């Protein structure tokens, strides 16, 4: 993740610092104008509010800069990027949550600087208890997603660029926001899911501990299929493939039905996209090899044919008996 140079990062504080200086200038210059006592409180209040907003803005930018600096060198495009994805995911969530918290605290501090604001808020809550209850109920999904975001930041059931399967779709975690997660589906669609989904519902994470994965391939073949030769041929296919990571290459008969047997191959790959390509390659090559060398191994339907005598023959047999 690229990090801006120090001068550029410090330059980003110019705007909040200018806001702080403006508020300070208003407070310092107010006595020179000789306002009446009932009016002078408003320039002082405006100056304090502007200073508080400037301080909150500066703090938000400092926190964002420090978090970006902490993520420097995290390259999620590398082949072995588990640690980098952990760091980027945690920092992105912390940056968003910190922005919301700092903004909320800044707004609260600014309201407290306005005379009568606290009393006005208390009176509003006291006079609108039912409305407050409705707002509280309506805010539950928002709060649930924020809490889920904090849980995801530290427990990390998902991370940026994780390969996941959810709602019957397979894709990669593209973005983790403060309220939702964007999943990039394999066909370039985007699936937007609330954060609390990953806390409340089961899903598959294919890269939870590592990107390596084992893929399975199934064939239904005839009982006369040469299993030992298929096993040796599978090893040949794996060794010739650029997608195999040389960990697992196994062929087994997993089921025997009335007219066919089920053969399963297991082969490992370094990533889930490579595992998909490896599975397709093995499936195609094995079918072509069986068609060329053992066509009798292909599945077929068996039936018993019974030749019945003609009616004349049956009548003659009956008379003879």
């Amino acid at each position: 993740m690229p990090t801006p140079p120090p001068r550029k990062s410090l330059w980003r504080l110019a705007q909040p610092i200018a806001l702080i200086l403006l508020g300070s200038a208003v407070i310092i210059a107010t006595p020179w104008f000789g306002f009446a006592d009932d009016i002078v409180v408003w320039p002082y209040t405006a100056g304090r509010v502007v200073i508080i907003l400037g301080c909150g803005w500066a703090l938000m930018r400092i926190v964002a800069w420090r978090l970006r600096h902490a993520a420097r060198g995290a390259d999620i495009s590398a082949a072995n990027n588990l640690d980098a994805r952990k760091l980027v995911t945690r920092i992105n969530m912390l940056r968003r949550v910190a922005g919301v918290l700092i903004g909320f605290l800044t707004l609260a501090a600014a309201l407290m600087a306005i005379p009568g604001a606290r009393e006005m808020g208390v009176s509003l809550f006291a006079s609108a208890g039912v409305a407050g209850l409705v707002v509280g109920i309506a805010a539950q999904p928002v709060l649930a997603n924020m809490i889920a975001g904090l849980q995801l930041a530290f427990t990390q059931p998902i991370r940026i660029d994780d390969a996941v399967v959810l709602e019957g779709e397979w894709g990669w975690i593209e973005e983790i926001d403060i309220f939702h997660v964007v999943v990039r589906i394999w066909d370039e669609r985007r699936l937007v899911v609330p954060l609390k989904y990953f806390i409340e519902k089961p899903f598959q994470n294919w890269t939870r501990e590592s990107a390596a994965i084992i893929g399975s391939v199934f064939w239904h073949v005839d009982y006369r299929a040469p299993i030992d030769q298929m096993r040796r041929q599978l090893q040949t296919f794996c060794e010739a493939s650029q997608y195999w990571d040389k960990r697992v290459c196994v062929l087994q008969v997993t089921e025997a039905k009335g007219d066919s047997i089920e053969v399963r191959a297991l082969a490992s790959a370094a990533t889930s996209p490579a595992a998909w390509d490896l599975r397709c390659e093995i499936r195609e090559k094995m079918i072509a090899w069986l068609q060329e060398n053992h066509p009798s191994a292909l599945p077929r339907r068996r039936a018993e044919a019974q030749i019945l005598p003609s009616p004349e023959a049956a009548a003659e047999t009956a008379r003879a008996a």
Side-chain angles (χ1 to χ4, degrees):
M1 179 179 293
T3 302
R7 289 185 179 180
K8 186 176 181 180
S9 300
L10 293 175
W11 179 251
R12 293 182 177 179
L13 295 177
Q15 293 174 330
I17 290 176
L19 201 63
I20 295 172
L21 293 177
L22 176 62
S24 302
V26 170
I27 294 176
I28 295 173
T30 296
W32 294 355
F33 292 95
F35 292 121
D37 293 342
D38 57 343
I39 298 177
V40 72
V41 67
W42 294 109
Y44 277 120
T45 301
R48 288 196 295 268
V49 170
V50 169
I51 291 175
I52 292 172
L53 293 178
C55 291
W57 192 2
L59 180 60
M60 193 176 299
R61 290 200 165 181
I62 291 172
V63 170
W65 172 75
R66 288 302 303 169
L67 290 175
R68 283 195 300 268
H69 181 74
R72 183 176 57 184
D75 184 13
I76 62 174
S77 62
N80 188 9
N81 60 357
L82 180 60
D83 293 334
R85 291 189 290 109
K86 286 182 179 180
L87 180 62
V88 171
T89 301
R90 183 173 288 119
I91 286 177
N92 284 346
M93 287 303 306
L94 289 178
R95 180 166 56 85
R96 290 180 171 89
V97 173
V100 172
L101 292 178
I102 293 174
F104 177 78
L105 294 176
T106 301
L107 180 61
L111 290 175
M112 291 180 64
I114 301 175
R118 183 181 301 175
E119 291 77 4
M120 181 178 63
V122 173
S123 63
L124 286 175
F125 277 113
S127 61
V130 176
L133 180 61
V134 173
V135 171
I137 295 174
Q140 283 184 356
V142 177
L143 296 176
N145 278 308
M146 289 186 64
I147 295 173
L150 289 174
Q151 290 180 274
L152 291 178
F154 291 99
T155 60
Q156 292 195 348
I158 57 171
R159 292 177 291 266
I160 296 294
D161 207 38
D162 266 347
V164 296
V165 178
L166 69 163
E167 298 295 321
E169 300 285 1
W170 171 55
W172 295 267
I173 301 295
E174 184 177 54
E175 179 184 350
I176 303 178
D177 208 335
I178 192 169
F179 295 119
H180 64 269
V181 175
V182 179
V183 181
R184 186 178 78 256
I185 306 302
W186 62 272
D187 57 0
E188 299 300 329
R189 289 178 295 147
R190 299 299 190 272
L191 183 65
V192 181
V193 186
L195 276 178
K196 65 177 184 179
Y197 178 96
F198 296 93
I199 303 298
E200 298 176 351
K201 296 185 179 181
F203 62 95
Q204 296 182 39
N205 188 336
W206 289 6
T207 53
R208 180 68 178 89
E209 296 297 334
S210 68
I213 192 170
I214 298 176
S216 59
V217 183
F218 291 88
W219 298 277
H220 290 89
V221 296
D222 192 78
Y223 275 86
R224 292 177 292 180
I227 301 301
D228 290 336
Q229 294 183 41
M230 291 179 64
R231 187 172 290 116
R232 291 192 295 269
Q233 201 63 34
L234 173 67
Q235 186 69 34
T236 302
F237 294 154
C238 289
E239 292 175 353
S241 176
Q242 61 176 328
Y243 305 113
W244 187 48
D245 65 356
K246 299 178 175 57
R247 290 190 302 118
V248 177
C249 183
V250 177
L251 186 140
Q252 297 170 318
V253 177
T254 53
E255 190 173 352
K257 299 181 180 180
D259 53 1
S260 66
I261 59 175
E262 182 184 78
V263 179
R264 184 190 67 180
L266 298 179
S268 59
T271 63
S272 52
W276 173 266
D277 292 334
L278 178 62
R279 291 168 60 194
C280 294
E281 180 181 318
I282 290 174
R283 184 182 297 111
E284 294 171 3
K285 288 185 175 180
M286 187 65 76
I287 292 174
W289 180 79
L290 288 174
Q291 290 175 338
E292 181 179 356
N293 298 278
H294 299 279
S296 61
L298 298 176
R300 61 189 63 196
R301 295 288 183 180
R302 289 181 170 84
E304 293 184 0
Q306 183 178 3
I307 301 177
L308 297 176
S310 63
E312 295 78 7
E316 182 67 25
T317 302
R319 286 194 297 271

